[in-house]
Amino acid sequence: MAFIDKLKKGLSKTREILLTDVNELFSSDRKIDESLLEELEEILIMSDLGIDLTMEIMERISKKSGKLSTADELKAVFKNELRALFPSDLNSDGENAEDGVHGRGLARPHVVMVVGVNGTGKTTTLGKLAFKYGEEGKKVLIAAADTFRAAAIEQVEIWADRAGASIVKHRAGADPAAVSFDAVEAGMARGVDIVLIDTAGRLHTQKNLMEELKKIKRSVSKRLPGAPHEVLMVLDATTGQNALSQARLFDDAVGITALAVTKLDGTAKGGIVAAVAGSMKVPIKYIGVGESIDDLQDFDPEMFVNALLD
């Protein structure tokens, strides 16, 4: 199945809300008036876009609606507003995050710290990323820094094996910052392209988790100034608006630079993807639409909006 079809399938719940109602809303004989705009507002809120962002979009659409004569024109404006929610994929240095991997004078190894709450698919996403980089011919090393659960270390080992990546691990209960430090050191010594750091993800309300993540970040930076080059947060699309509050908490603690949204499997409302991108002003880098190893793909806002509305 082509990725666009998997994406449409993954967005089926939202497409049902949007397409049935939006297509009816944008039927060619419908005139653009207050009641049409109110209905559109209601549909957006139902798709998990969230009230604040919906109000923002609706305000912009309302301002433009006076110059429009057909529902088709309004639909085009609506699509553009959705696309505009997604920031471009630049890191804080203004460089594309991938440039570090391709050696344009940026750090090698390129260190990616992967964070997120347990159950979001964090370690699975890290494993799929390792596989993806391996397929591109890159040398990958994984740090098993979620040392609080022995099962997490085992899971990372399985993924490292599948992806052909090397691994740095300590015993269960070891200091995660020490594992991360050793992994970056090993990556530098072995001429590795990518170091992926798996981290713990117990409930985000626990202060000690955030302190642990900050410590990992400091430790890695000591060994390789400028690292981690990316802090990638993995979010579960099925958790809806809760994903947004999780992202804000992690961002406050460690400064998220990119997002991966998983579990767009047909049960999630895809509006949350746009809500997180628009509210956080952080680029969505990857999107996961299924269980298989190649179901993690680079995020393409254009394809996403088209999959939602066409």
Side-chain angles (χ1 to χ4, degrees):
M1 192 190 287
F3 184 67
I4 183 74
D5 297 322
K6 283 185 182 176
L7 188 54
K8 282 183 176 178
K9 194 177 170 197
L11 293 169
S12 57
K13 191 170 184 177
T14 317
R15 279 169 62 81
E16 215 173 286
I17 297 168
L18 288 177
L19 287 182
T20 318
D21 300 337
V22 167
N23 283 347
E24 214 170 277
L25 202 61
F26 293 136
S27 62
S28 51
D29 54 352
R30 182 88 193 255
K31 81 172 190 295
I32 300 168
D33 56 15
E34 202 57 43
S35 92
L36 184 148
L37 294 174
E38 275 171 21
E39 280 176 57
L40 180 57
E41 185 177 298
E42 205 174 297
I43 291 164
L44 292 182
I45 292 169
M46 278 170 62
S47 73
D48 247 349
L49 200 59
I51 291 174
D52 292 348
L53 211 52
T54 296
M55 294 308 174
E56 233 177 84
I57 285 181
M58 288 312 301
E59 195 181 325
R60 290 200 293 270
I61 289 175
S62 297
K63 280 178 186 166
K64 293 171 184 174
S65 64
K67 297 172 189 165
L68 308 175
S69 52
T70 68
D72 274 349
E73 287 173 359
L74 182 62
K75 187 175 182 180
V77 166
F78 173 50
K79 277 177 95 166
N80 286 335
E81 286 298 335
L82 277 185
R83 279 191 209 102
L85 292 176
F86 299 100
S88 61
D89 190 1
L90 292 177
N91 64 22
S92 53
D93 300 318
E95 294 275 7
N96 189 297
E98 288 294 302
D99 289 345
V101 182
H102 299 301
R104 278 180 38 193
L106 295 181
R108 187 163 178 252
H110 184 77
V111 180
V112 183
M113 185 174 162
V114 183
V115 302
V117 174
N118 282 349
T120 55
K122 170 174 52 71
T123 304
T124 301
T125 298
L126 178 141
K128 288 179 178 180
L129 263 183
F131 180 82
K132 191 170 156 56
Y133 280 130
E135 289 287 284
E136 291 168 13
K138 299 192 176 75
K139 206 171 165 187
V140 181
L141 184 146
I142 301 174
D146 181 358
T147 60
F148 298 104
R149 297 181 306 132
I153 299 173
E154 287 162 22
Q155 196 186 353
V156 168
E157 284 185 283
I158 292 164
W159 273 112
D161 193 46
R162 283 179 79 182
S166 51
I167 184 169
V168 167
K169 59 173 184 161
H170 291 191
R171 69 187 190 289
D175 178 4
V179 178
S180 306
F181 183 97
D182 288 354
V184 171
E185 190 159 66
M188 292 165 78
R190 298 176 200 171
V192 159
D193 297 302
I194 311 279
V195 174
L196 297 172
I197 302 173
D198 188 40
T199 61
R202 293 158 312 175
L203 280 178
H204 55 282
T205 46
Q206 292 184 4
K207 182 174 175 278
N208 59 348
L209 171 61
M210 297 306 162
E211 292 309 316
E212 202 57 69
L213 294 176
K214 288 177 189 173
K215 190 178 164 193
I216 289 174
K217 204 175 172 188
R218 286 194 303 271
S219 169
V220 163
S221 173
K222 264 182 201 161
R223 188 61 199 89
L224 181 62
H229 308 99
E230 283 183 70
V231 179
L232 177 72
M233 178 159 189
V234 180
L235 292 173
D236 174 351
T238 63
T239 59
Q241 288 289 310
N242 195 33
L244 189 51
S245 54
Q246 286 172 13
R248 285 183 174 136
L249 279 163
F250 276 81
D251 190 42
D252 286 346
V254 287
I256 298 163
T257 63
L259 295 160
V261 181
T262 65
K263 304 190 186 181
L264 272 171
D265 57 1
T267 59
K269 291 183 185 175
I272 192 58
V273 177
V276 170
S279 304
M280 298 285 300
K281 304 289 184 263
V282 171
I284 292 176
K285 200 165 182 188
Y286 305 104
I287 193 164
V289 292
E291 290 300 312
S292 78
I293 201 158
D294 58 354
D295 281 341
L296 183 76
Q297 296 280 341
D298 293 338
F299 180 69
D300 178 345
E302 186 83 18
M303 187 192 280
F304 179 82
V305 172
N306 289 341
L308 266 182
L309 292 172
D310 289 345

